[in-house]
Amino acid sequence: MSAAAIPWVLHVDLDQFIAAVEVLRRPELAGKPVIVGGRGDPTERAVVSTASYEARAFGVGSGMPLRIAARKAPDAVILPVDAPAYTAASDEVMATLRAQPGAVVQVLGWDEAFVGITTEDPEAYARSIQAAVLERTRLHCSVGIGDTLVRAKNATDFGKPQGRFRLTAENWIEVMGARPTQALWGVGSKISKRLAGHGIRTVAELAAADPDALAAEFGPKMGPWYRQLGRGDGSATVDDTPWVARGHGRETTFQQDLTDRADIERAARELIAQVLEAVAAEGRPVIGVGLKVRYAPFITKTLVHKIETTYDRDTVSAEILALVDRIEPDRAIRLLGVRAEMQMPDEARDDHTPTRSGW
DNA sequence: TCTGGGGTCCTAGGACCC
DNA sequence: TCTGGGGTCCTAGGACCC
């Protein structure tokens, strides 16, 4: 008996994407521990973007300070981040996905996307996607298959590397129920701790939690949303509406903490120039500015300021510099970030663009 | 161990208005 | 003098993701 053709959500996730792209252009690195991060200098303040599976065997993972990673895997090859190369590779992967018959593609990042497809055999469709991506880009990917976005996304981990895994309402609790809440997309260390404070430690416990208690703890939107996550429920619609950026920002961490006002202002002006360039490329006016300051050792403050809608670079620049003036004097600065919020186009202003709560 | 850089979204609280 | 309730806007901060 053959299954009926019904809508499925596939979550396509490239395996060790950044490291894989680097190995493709340096074949001699195949099979070696490879770490990509920062400027490739482990003595600098930077973190790991991606580690190859060989490097992960030493306990190296994304987000880890490069210095620590180099200590854990002393023989690893450490490479600088080359964003344009990854963007180019990513574009090819996404184009391959869009070329699949019947596929609706929602890009989530450099190395992952949802694919909506109506089929009677999602595993076969997933295999054909993997073959097409491998043929065109020489990159391997894993595919999660689900009856909702959340289930497809969570399924991928079980298929890694190069495999497939299906999570539906039928097996969700059986597979995910005993796992810690932090395994869920959208539940990090802080939220999982707050959940634990209510006796909620596993996915199954979250799925059965009292919605009112969650709303009281996390607010009217996030409370119910976390419970939904625990159940794997939510939208099953892959949305291919093109992404529209809300704003652009640039930030930089200083290798040595800054104390001199002239140095700080110079750094700010440089970031402002980059942000203005990114904003100008969008052709939309600026409606707000922001400044992020990290005082040593690790205290982050943000300042935001709504402004009159404007295309004028000097105005935006002056508004940001006014925020820079509010930086506390006599404190060492570790990081400076500058941001500009842009007006959204009319057609994207309603709930057309995907949002987190849309899940 | 010591924590990047690009983003998005949500919440709380104060100001202000009716 | 003491003071409700609803709404909106803005700022600051927090959390999360890749």
Side-chain angles (χ1 to χ4, degrees):
Chain A
M1 132 188 132
S2 79
I6 56 170
W8 287 97
V9 180
L10 273 51
H11 178 252
V12 178
D13 194 313
L14 279 296
D15 297 330
Q16 50 174 4
F17 173 66
I18 289 174
V21 171
E22 293 294 349
V23 170
L24 277 184
R25 57 180 176 182
R26 305 163 202 247
E28 71 276 12
L29 296 183
K32 290 190 180 154
V34 175
I35 297 168
V36 183
R39 292 188 283 193
D41 180 349
T43 67
E44 288 191 346
R45 284 175 178 165
V47 298
V48 175
S49 290
T50 301
S52 70
Y53 289 122
E54 292 80 4
R56 290 179 205 192
F58 289 92
V60 175
S62 306
M64 177 180 290
L66 214 49
R67 194 175 308 173
I68 310 296
R71 197 179 308 158
K72 283 177 178 282
D75 296 327
V77 177
I78 302 178
L79 300 171
V81 174
D82 180 1
Y86 316 139
T87 300
S90 176
D91 288 348
E92 273 212 45
V93 170
M94 300 310 165
T96 308
L97 297 182
R98 292 196 184 92
Q100 301 307 298
V104 176
V105 178
Q106 179 179 349
V107 177
L108 298 182
W110 264 344
D111 63 341
E112 60 177 306
F114 283 124
V115 175
I117 182 67
T118 296
T119 175
E120 57 189 37
D121 190 347
E123 274 78 10
Y125 194 87
R127 275 193 298 274
S128 66
I129 282 180
Q130 290 171 306
V133 169
L134 180 62
E135 190 192 0
R136 171 136 169 214
T137 68
R138 296 184 290 153
L139 293 166
H140 289 280
C141 61
S142 305
V143 181
I145 299 163
D147 53 356
T148 65
L149 300 176
V150 167
R151 294 202 184 100
K153 168 91 183 165
N154 280 281
T156 312
D157 271 353
F158 299 99
K160 278 193 168 294
Q162 302 184 22
R164 297 148 298 279
F165 195 87
R166 191 199 284 213
L167 267 182
T168 63
E170 209 176 316
N171 66 345
W172 170 260
I173 285 296
E174 175 196 326
V175 175
M176 292 291 294
R179 292 168 64 87
T181 54
Q182 223 185 312
L184 296 166
W185 184 90
V187 178
S189 68
K190 306 290 172 127
I191 300 298
S192 66
K193 280 201 180 70
R194 277 168 77 183
L195 287 168
H198 292 259
I200 300 164
R201 291 182 178 76
T202 67
V203 172
E205 285 165 352
L206 182 56
D210 172 21
D212 292 336
L214 290 175
E217 172 68 36
F218 297 107
K221 265 190 141 81
M222 299 309 281
W225 187 64
Y226 289 132
R227 184 167 183 273
Q228 228 192 28
L229 267 185
R231 303 166 80 88
D233 287 343
S235 170
T237 305
V238 179
D239 182 351
D240 62 358
T241 309
W243 181 254
V244 181
R246 273 73 174 157
H248 288 293
R250 289 291 181 274
E251 60 185 61
T252 184
T253 295
F254 305 114
Q255 292 302 320
Q256 260 89 43
D257 298 342
L258 251 52
T259 47
D260 188 86
R261 304 302 290 178
D263 288 342
I264 295 164
E265 192 175 317
R266 196 174 317 120
R269 287 184 186 278
E270 229 167 86
L271 293 169
I272 290 168
Q274 292 173 35
V275 166
L276 287 174
E277 204 172 313
V279 167
E282 300 262 352
R284 285 182 284 146
V286 174
I287 58 170
V289 295
L291 185 77
K292 184 158 116 184
V293 188
R294 183 163 296 155
Y295 299 103
F298 213 74
I299 305 139
T300 306
K301 301 280 179 195
T302 59
L303 297 167
V304 297
H305 180 49
K306 207 90 186 150
I307 65 172
E308 288 287 320
T309 305
T310 182
Y311 284 97
D312 184 56
R313 294 169 71 103
D314 292 339
T315 302
V316 176
S317 183
E319 294 283 5
I320 296 174
L321 285 170
L323 293 180
V324 173
D325 273 342
R326 289 168 54 188
I327 291 176
E328 296 176 37
D330 308 321
R331 293 188 71 176
I333 312 287
R334 287 201 61 172
L335 171 147
L336 200 60
V338 161
R339 199 177 152 74
E341 304 290 338
M342 293 175 298
Q343 187 169 81
M344 294 296 283
D346 282 340
E347 67 270 20
R349 199 152 333 151
D350 6 330
D351 52 1
H352 229 66
T353 42
T355 67
R356 205 202 301 190
S357 46
W359 288 49

